[in-house]
């Protein structure tokens, strides 16, 4: 019972609320105490609640369905930069007829769905954005997160760091399980914390047409070395947790058992197109040994990849190291590097490379980047504190090599997967860098929102490079709602294009430039505030489309119109993933002729990870990076010029 009390108090359920009663809470004892009937599931199985989102444990508000007319007005504004006058008048007509016609019926059906679901979007989003998406998770969906670089001089350094990482993970998991992670706030609004419960023990399982997620709680990790896969218990037979030296010893044994790399590493299959992997998976699980080994990986807490060296310290500079590390965390450098030393279906795989690349790859479907970034800061701080483990098991369990039955069919699948991964890896151009001229502090002194400012720098960079508006996706967290994930901020606006044009016009005065910058930043901030509250354009339009599909209603023409297609073809795919340490998240572009830009704005610098596809002739990642740096410099200079002229 005391545990329940703790949950309730921790989540700050302090006042009586009739909504809580309707949500199934019971008043127990003092009026301030509310208990959910299935609170025991919450305690017994950490993943039950989050996996089903059947519960509104934090009693958060529900994601609203915006008014149709509001969304359509907003939509028309966002399509404007991408259309000529004729196209725009065509789109406007279509929107009006949608609003008074089929849109009305779809809106009403969507509103009924919203009454029946705690979050009308959650399941749809999980399926359409992730589980039904058939391209490989590698490059197309799973981000990498690069930790600050380390210099490992020998195997002992690498394994010590790996052992510390695992201990940090266990400490963090204990905090999650004990509801001790402070509830994050956005202003006065608490955010949905359920994503934290999905980080460990989760695995994506391939399925034809749609994958699924499996949630487990366990006391071991999967370790991969030289493409061999091991089960490593972190608690001994006496039920006591291993300490740092003991984990290090176990990892040494893993290395000893896998001194030679195998070219039959089964993990490479997880980098395949999802239908291809699903077919292979169904073949594999016909065999008992394979089925057991696969289940073992799926149920582990996380994966630890002990990677081969990649000449990190032969890189000429930090920039080259950042690119190398980004590639290692996104795709493992292909099959000839560490690409086979992975299990890409696992929500988190920690990477500890022999010469000092450290970081993680995360499978995106259960959680956004922000909880993963918070975990990263925790791990980095934990390692720096160099805490000594309080426990020592008297009887650690030996690591176990997971075996797979191989036949010609499986070997061929592995070879194909290698070819495909190498193609993917070769096609991803990365340009990651620290912009160190200034960071959030300078932007704040200008009384501007750092995020909106950086977004406008990207708009300006794209326009300067391509002389055309770039449809631009930024994730905004909708975690103030139960089960909330993200809404799209459409960063390309009439104002952002006006800003880029004004900056590029040699005739514009500094005053005009600054005014255009402020207009663009304010327009972006305004959209951001709405998106954070669930009043963007994209999720609502998606909801209406899926409502049509589910109810056998023809998908309205609005969705095949130039306005929709061009404004949703996100040539700039961006996300702020903020961590305190000198790390960064990185991922691939959303469309063939696009760029990705993930950024970590810190007080005095910004880490950027940009990427594009080498095969595309329209894009060039290094030119985009240069344009971005130039844009940041121009914006800074014009602002400073203004400040100085005021003095
Ligand atoms: N003058 C001075 N300071 C200002 C300012 C202004 N006009 N506007 C904002 N600031 C300050 C803020 O108070 C804040 O201060 P803090 O550093 O003390 O917290 C800081 O600048 C940053 O604010 P801002 O840049 O405006 O936005 P943000 O950091 O809140 O980020 C989003 C905006 C949309 C990125 C964020 O809300 C969000 O949703 N993040 C999650 C994105 C996500 O899901 N990513 C992962 C996808 S996988």
């Amino acid at each position: 019972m005391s545990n329940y009390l703790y949950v309730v108090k921790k989540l700050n359920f302090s006042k009586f609320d009739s909504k809580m009663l309707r949500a199934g809470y019971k008043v127990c004892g003092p009026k301030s105490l509310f208990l959910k009937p299935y609170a025991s599931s919450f305690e017994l199985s950490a993943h039950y609640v989050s996996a089903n989102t059947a519960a509104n444990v934090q009693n958060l508000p529900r994601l609203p369905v915006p008014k149709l007319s509001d969304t359509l007005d907003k939509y028309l504004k966002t399509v404007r930069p991408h259309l000529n006058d004729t196209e725009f008048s065509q789109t406007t007509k279509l929107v009006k007829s949608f609003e008074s016609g089929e849109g009305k019926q779809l809106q009403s059906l969507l509103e009924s769905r919203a009454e029946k679901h705690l979050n009308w979007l959650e399941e749809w989003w999980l399926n359409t954005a992730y589980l039904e998406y058939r391209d490989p998770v590698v490059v197309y969906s799973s981000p990498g997160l690069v930790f600050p670089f380390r210099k490992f001089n020998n195997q002992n350094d690498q394994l010590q760091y790996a052992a510390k990482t695992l201990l940090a993970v266990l400490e963090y998991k204990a905090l999650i399980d004990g509801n001790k992670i402070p509830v994050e706030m956005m202003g006065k609004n608490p955010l949905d914390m359920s994503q934290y419960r999905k980080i460990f023990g989760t695995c994506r399982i391939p399925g034809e047409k749609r994958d699924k997620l499996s949630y487990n709680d366990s006391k071991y990790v999967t370790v991969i070395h030289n493409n061999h896969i091991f089960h490593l218990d972190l608690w001994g037979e006496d039920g006591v947790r291993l300490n740092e030296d003991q984990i290090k010893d176990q990892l040494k044994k893993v290395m000893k058992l896998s001194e030679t790399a195998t070219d039959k590493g089964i993990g490479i299959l997880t980098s395949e197109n999802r239908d291809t992997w699903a077919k292979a998976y169904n073949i594999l699980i016909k065999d008992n040994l394979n089925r057991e080994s696969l289940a073992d990986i799926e149920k582990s807490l996380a994966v630890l990849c002990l990677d081969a060296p990649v000449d990190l310290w032969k890189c000429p500079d930090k920039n080259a190291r950042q690119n190398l590390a980004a590639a290692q965390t996104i795709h493992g450098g292909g099959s000839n590097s560490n690409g086979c030393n992975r299990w890409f279906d696992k929500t988190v795989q920690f990477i500890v490379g022999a010469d000092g690349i450290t970081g993680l790859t995360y499978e995106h479907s259960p959680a956004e980047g922000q909880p993963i970034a918070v975990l990263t800061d925790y791990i980095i701080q934990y390692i720096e504190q160099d805490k000594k483990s309080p426990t020592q098991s008297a009887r650690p369990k030996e690591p176990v090599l997971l075996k797979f039955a191989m036949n010609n069919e499986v070997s061929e699948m592995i070879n194909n997967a290698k070819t495909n991964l190498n193609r993917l890896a070769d096609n991803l151009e990365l340009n990651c860098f620290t912009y160190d001229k200034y960071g959030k502090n300078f932007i704040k002194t200008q009384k501007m929102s750092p995020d909106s400012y950086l977004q406008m720098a990207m708009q300006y960079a794209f326009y300067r490079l391509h002389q055309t508006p770039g449809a631009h996706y930024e994730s905004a967290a909708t975690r103030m709602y139960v089960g909330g994930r993200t809404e799209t901020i459409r960063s390309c606006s009439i104002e952002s294009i006006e800003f880029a044009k004004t900056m590029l016009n040699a005739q514009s005065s500094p005053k005009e430039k600054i005014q255009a910058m402020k207009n663009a930043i304010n327009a972006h901030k305004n959209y951001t505030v709405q998106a954070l509250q669930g009043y963007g354009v994209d999720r609502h339009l998606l909801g209406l489309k899926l409502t049509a599909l589910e109810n056998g209603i023809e998908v309205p023409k609005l969705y095949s119109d130039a306005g929709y297609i061009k404004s949703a073809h996100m040539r700039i795919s961006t996300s702020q993933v903020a961590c305190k340490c000198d790390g960064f998240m990185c991922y691939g572009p959303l469309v063939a002729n696009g760029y990705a830009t993930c950024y970590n704005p810190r007080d005095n610098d910004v880490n950027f990870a940009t990427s594009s596809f080498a095969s595309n002739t329209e894009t060039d990642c290094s030119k985009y990076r240069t344009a971005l740096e130039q844009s940041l410099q121009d914006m800074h200079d014009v602002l400073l010029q203004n400040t100085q002229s005021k003095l």
Side-chain angles (χ1 to χ4, degrees):
M1 184 58 114
S2 60
N3 280 343
Y4 302 163
L5 243 170
Y6 183 74
V7 172
V8 171
K9 277 189 180 160
K10 193 75 201 168
L11 298 176
N12 207 12
F13 294 155
S14 53
K15 287 192 306 201
F16 176 79
D17 181 342
S18 59
K19 268 195 234 152
M20 293 178 84
L21 281 184
R22 282 204 300 277
Y25 284 89
K26 286 197 165 63
V27 185
C28 304
K31 222 180 167 190
S32 61
L33 176 56
F34 299 93
L35 292 182
K36 193 87 174 161
Y38 41 75
S40 54
S41 312
F42 185 81
E43 289 301 314
L44 293 172
S45 162
H47 289 299
Y48 177 85
V49 171
S50 56
N52 295 285
T53 319
N56 188 356
V57 186
Q58 290 176 257
N59 195 32
L60 296 173
R62 288 156 69 141
L63 182 71
V65 177
K67 271 194 186 164
L68 186 59
S69 57
D70 287 354
T71 296
L72 294 176
D73 287 350
K74 214 173 290 164
Y75 171 69
L76 276 178
K77 281 197 194 119
T78 67
V79 301
R80 188 66 190 100
H82 307 286
L83 302 178
N84 62 33
D85 291 349
T86 321
E87 286 171 328
F88 185 63
S89 101
Q90 177 69 20
T91 298
T92 308
K93 266 192 217 144
L94 212 55
V95 163
K96 296 292 162 212
S97 101
F98 178 75
E99 188 176 351
S100 54
E102 67 256 78
K104 268 190 180 166
Q105 185 198 2
L106 295 176
Q107 175 76 4
S108 135
L109 287 166
L110 183 59
E111 283 167 1
S112 321
R113 176 184 170 92
E115 278 166 23
K116 291 180 211 125
H117 291 72
L118 270 182
N119 182 316
W120 60 264
L121 181 62
E122 189 181 18
E123 191 189 349
W124 271 349
W125 183 250
L126 180 65
N127 288 336
T128 55
Y130 298 108
L131 301 180
E132 289 169 5
Y133 188 70
R134 300 291 82 193
D135 278 335
V137 292
V138 181
V139 173
Y140 293 111
S141 173
S142 295
L145 205 157
V146 175
F147 292 3
F149 297 110
R150 306 273 155 179
K151 207 162 201 167
F152 299 145
N153 295 312
N154 48 43
Q155 192 194 75
N156 192 61
D157 287 356
Q158 180 191 10
L159 296 187
Q160 188 151 24
Y161 186 91
K164 284 180 195 295
T165 303
L166 291 181
L167 280 175
V169 162
L170 295 183
E171 291 293 327
Y172 198 71
K173 183 171 183 298
L175 293 178
I176 296 173
D177 292 348
N179 302 297
K180 288 181 184 156
I181 305 279
V183 173
E184 289 163 22
M185 303 293 287
M186 192 172 64
K188 288 183 183 153
N189 300 309
L191 299 184
D192 184 309
M193 297 297 286
S194 62
Q195 289 182 23
Y196 282 86
R197 294 186 170 274
K198 302 176 192 175
I199 299 176
F200 299 116
T202 308
C203 197
R204 184 165 167 161
I205 317 279
E208 290 189 35
K209 296 206 172 95
R210 184 192 288 172
D211 296 352
K212 60 183 183 192
L213 286 173
S214 106
Y215 299 96
N216 308 280
D217 203 0
S218 60
K219 296 200 159 205
Y220 66 93
V221 287
T222 303
V223 182
I224 316 186
H225 176 247
N226 269 336
N227 315 334
H228 299 277
I229 306 176
F230 293 84
H231 169 119
L232 178 67
D233 280 296
L234 298 173
W235 272 259
E237 278 173 30
D238 50 3
V240 178
R241 203 177 83 184
L242 274 56
N243 68 17
E244 184 181 314
D245 286 341
Q246 290 180 315
I247 296 178
K248 194 174 74 183
D249 288 347
Q250 300 303 91
L251 293 175
K252 253 188 205 151
K253 288 180 194 163
V254 163
M255 282 200 159
K256 190 92 192 115
L257 289 165
S258 53
E259 276 175 336
T260 317
T262 172
D263 61 353
K264 297 275 180 281
I266 203 108
I268 188 82
L269 294 175
T270 61
S271 70
E272 271 284 21
N273 165 287
R274 302 307 296 177
D275 280 336
T276 311
W277 171 211
K279 279 193 194 105
Y281 187 91
N282 288 336
I283 293 169
L284 285 171
I285 55 168
K286 283 186 189 141
D287 180 281
N288 279 346
L289 180 69
N290 291 338
R291 199 166 45 243
E292 276 168 27
S293 296
L294 287 168
D296 199 284
I297 301 167
E298 285 155 14
K299 288 182 184 151
S300 71
L301 286 178
V303 169
L304 169 69
C305 307
L306 294 172
D307 273 7
V310 287
D311 288 339
L312 176 69
W313 296 104
K314 287 192 186 155
C315 288
D317 51 29
K318 182 181 177 190
N319 194 177
R321 285 194 287 278
Q322 286 171 318
N323 288 335
L324 181 66
Q328 287 292 317
T329 58
I330 295 177
H331 51 62
S335 71
N336 295 322
S337 183
N338 289 300
C340 302
N341 209 46
R342 299 279 181 275
W343 196 267
F344 287 107
D345 286 357
K346 201 75 189 164
T347 302
V348 207
Q349 14 181 10
F350 295 96
I351 294 164
V352 181
D355 44 10
I357 284 183
T358 60
L360 58 87
T361 307
Y362 95 93
E363 199 290 296
H364 208 322
S365 45
E368 300 315 327
Q370 205 51 50
I372 308 287
V374 175
L375 164 70
T376 296
D377 276 331
Y378 181 88
I379 293 174
I380 303 298
Q381 270 175 23
Y382 182 93
I383 291 174
E384 273 161 15
Q385 282 166 1
D386 199 21
K387 280 189 187 162
K388 288 289 155 249
S389 330
T391 59
Q392 173 168 1
S393 167
R395 279 178 292 143
K397 296 181 197 167
E398 293 298 302
V400 180
L401 174 70
L402 299 181
K403 297 204 174 111
F404 291 89
M406 286 287 163
N407 57 29
N408 289 344
E409 199 177 13
V410 178
S411 295
E412 200 184 320
M413 294 186 311
I414 289 174
N415 288 340
N416 290 340
K418 284 184 190 169
T419 309
N420 292 335
L421 179 69
N422 292 343
R423 234 180 254 146
L424 265 185
D426 289 347
N427 196 22
L428 187 70
E429 254 184 36
L430 285 158
N431 207 319
C432 307
F433 60 99
T434 301
Y435 183 80
D436 60 5
K437 307 265 187 322
Y438 61 94
K440 282 197 293 185
N441 285 351
F442 166 74
I443 306 170
K444 286 186 195 173
T445 62
Q446 298 300 313
K447 303 201 169 31
M448 291 172 170
S449 146
D451 187 68
S452 298
Y453 179 101
L454 295 171
Q455 285 286 318
M456 291 308 100
M458 294 170 214
Q459 272 290 297
Y460 175 22
F462 187 92
Y463 195 86
R464 134 187 253 151
L465 197 56
H466 296 286
Q467 289 86 46
T468 186
H472 185 157
Y473 180 115
E474 183 192 359
S475 328
T478 49
R479 285 171 54 208
M480 63 181 275
Y481 299 112
V482 56
R485 301 261 330 226
T486 56
E487 171 60 275
T488 307
I489 302 167
R490 290 187 161 208
S491 293
C492 181
S493 61
I494 297 166
E495 292 84 354
S496 73
I497 299 306
E498 196 47 45
F499 160 58
K501 284 182 179 164
T502 310
M503 290 298 281
L504 291 167
N505 182 352
Q507 308 306 318
S508 308
S509 68
K511 210 173 152 196
E512 285 166 336
K513 288 179 179 174
I514 290 171
Q515 192 53 52
M517 193 191 304
K518 282 185 179 162
N519 293 346
I521 288 174
N522 289 342
H524 180 271
K525 190 70 196 171
N526 183 21
Y527 200 109
T528 301
V529 169
Q530 295 180 60
L532 289 168
Q533 294 173 30
Y535 294 103
V537 158
D538 290 81
R539 303 297 181 267
H540 187 194
L541 288 184
L542 174 72
L544 295 170
K545 185 179 175 186
L546 292 174
T547 303
L549 289 170
E550 275 204 5
N551 289 279
I553 298 169
E554 194 185 340
V555 175
K557 287 204 178 60
L558 181 94
Y559 293 93
S560 45
D561 169 56
Y564 187 82
I565 291 170
K566 290 187 184 175
S567 68
H569 184 76
M570 298 295 184
R571 295 195 64 187
I572 320 167
S573 160
T574 68
S575 195
Q576 181 190 133
V577 180
C579 50
K580 292 192 181 70
C581 69
D582 188 14
F584 60 91
M585 191 168 268
C586 44
Y587 51 79
L590 215 50
V591 295
N593 62 347
Y595 300 98
T597 313
C598 196
Y599 54 105
N600 175 16
R602 305 194 312 153
D603 287 346
N604 297 307
D605 59 26
V606 185
N607 280 340
F608 285 103
T610 72
S611 68
S612 64
F613 290 118
S615 58
N616 190 274
T617 50
E618 288 175 64
T619 50
D620 182 326
C621 201
S622 67
K623 283 191 185 156
Y624 173 68
R625 175 225 169 128
T626 306
L628 186 53
E629 286 181 309
Q630 280 171 351
S631 301
L632 288 163
Q633 188 69 48
D634 287 359
M635 290 166 76
H636 174 265
D637 291 351
V638 77
L639 285 168
L640 269 201
Q641 203 179 337
N642 184 52
T643 317
Q644 279 156 3
S645 65
K646 272 193 203 156
L647 294 174

